[in-house]
Amino acid sequence: MNKKINIEKILNEIGEIYSPLSNECQQEFIGYSKVCTFKKGDIVVREGQFSEKAYLIIQGSARAYYLKDGKDISDWFTFENEIMASIVSFFSKVPSPHYVEFVEDSIVLEFSKDNADSLCSKYHDFERFISKVVTQTMLGLCERLYTIQFNKADERYKHLLNIYPNITNRIPLTHIASYLGITLETLSRIRNPKNRI
């Protein structure tokens, strides 16, 4: 893998999603970051840990989840060209309420909070970039809460497919069901209406 060319391409693509980064900022970001690989099932943050790392996903997927009364509940998913972190811990320097797990074998660009702070103080475009990342993550969480409160189960599922059309090929249905706030049985019925009694 040609690290330099691939990462610059990725940063240009993610810049289009969030906010563009200047070439100078990109080069410094690449210098601060490192390419890491993770296996499916690798947990990089656990509940109660302090987390200073964030992961720009080059290939693969990850999820943030928490445990409630012994149940595993997915809070959000990230895929290529998106950033995964324990947002609360990363930005507020408090213990993480979430676990962060890679759901597929993944290649990521890992960077630290200190490096992000350094880039933010030096480059306004990186500050804008991080602000957009946080805003989009928070809006996604708000949208999820809204859909769980006000939409029927089948509407929640359709909404998720509008955002991530191939999600059922990549994320286990148990995680999707917990994300939607429904049981696996309900999700199965929504996906296969002919099976309804």
Side-chain angles (χ1 to χ4, degrees):
M1 168 167 146
N2 187 325
K3 176 182 169 183
K4 192 165 187 288
I5 292 172
N6 280 354
I7 292 177
E8 286 172 342
K9 180 172 176 279
I10 292 289
L11 290 179
N12 283 327
E13 287 172 1
I14 200 172
E16 289 174 17
I17 296 167
Y18 297 107
S19 185
L21 298 174
S22 67
N23 287 334
E24 189 182 356
C25 178
Q26 282 189 23
Q27 292 309 313
E28 199 158 333
F29 182 42
I30 291 167
Y32 277 142
S33 308
K34 68 175 182 175
V35 175
C36 299
T37 57
F38 292 100
K39 292 288 184 189
K40 176 182 177 179
D42 281 353
I43 295 173
V44 290
V45 180
R46 293 180 185 275
E47 181 185 1
Q49 285 184 340
F50 288 87
S51 176
E52 299 181 335
K53 304 282 187 191
Y55 308 92
L56 167 55
I57 298 182
I58 297 170
Q59 182 182 315
S61 62
R63 70 177 182 125
Y65 70 96
Y66 60 93
L67 296 177
K68 175 73 172 170
D69 300 326
K71 288 185 179 177
D72 164 336
I73 300 169
S74 296
D75 226 3
W76 71 89
F77 305 108
T78 50
F79 299 92
E80 286 81 8
N81 295 352
E82 295 179 336
I83 288 177
M84 172 55 83
S86 174
I87 297 291
V88 173
S89 186
F90 186 79
F91 289 102
S92 302
K93 296 184 177 178
V94 297
S96 174
H98 290 98
Y99 292 79
V100 173
E101 174 190 34
F102 286 95
V103 186
E104 299 175 304
D105 291 350
S106 300
I107 302 168
V108 304
L109 196 62
E110 179 188 274
F111 60 97
S112 71
K113 176 67 164 61
D114 286 345
N115 294 153
D117 287 345
S118 176
L119 288 167
C120 282
S121 61
K122 189 170 179 181
Y123 299 101
H124 288 306
D125 51 345
F126 196 81
E127 194 174 25
R128 275 195 305 273
F129 172 81
I130 289 294
S131 175
K132 286 280 181 72
V133 169
V134 174
T135 301
Q136 287 207 17
T137 302
M138 291 301 122
L139 287 174
L141 286 169
C142 289
E143 188 174 25
R144 173 177 173 255
L145 285 173
Y146 179 88
T147 58
I148 285 175
Q149 283 182 308
F150 299 109
N151 290 0
K152 293 178 182 175
D154 58 337
E155 294 170 336
R156 295 178 216 166
Y157 179 62
K158 285 176 190 168
H159 180 70
L160 182 63
L161 290 182
N162 282 338
I163 301 169
Y164 298 117
N166 299 317
I167 194 167
T168 56
N169 297 327
R170 302 184 63 182
I171 303 291
L173 294 179
T174 49
H175 299 336
I176 294 173
S178 74
Y179 174 84
L180 295 172
I182 59 178
T183 64
L184 187 56
E185 291 74 20
T186 300
L187 179 58
S188 296
R189 281 199 301 272
I190 292 167
R191 284 166 51 78
N192 300 294
K194 292 176 186 172
N195 294 346
R196 285 185 180 151
I197 298 167

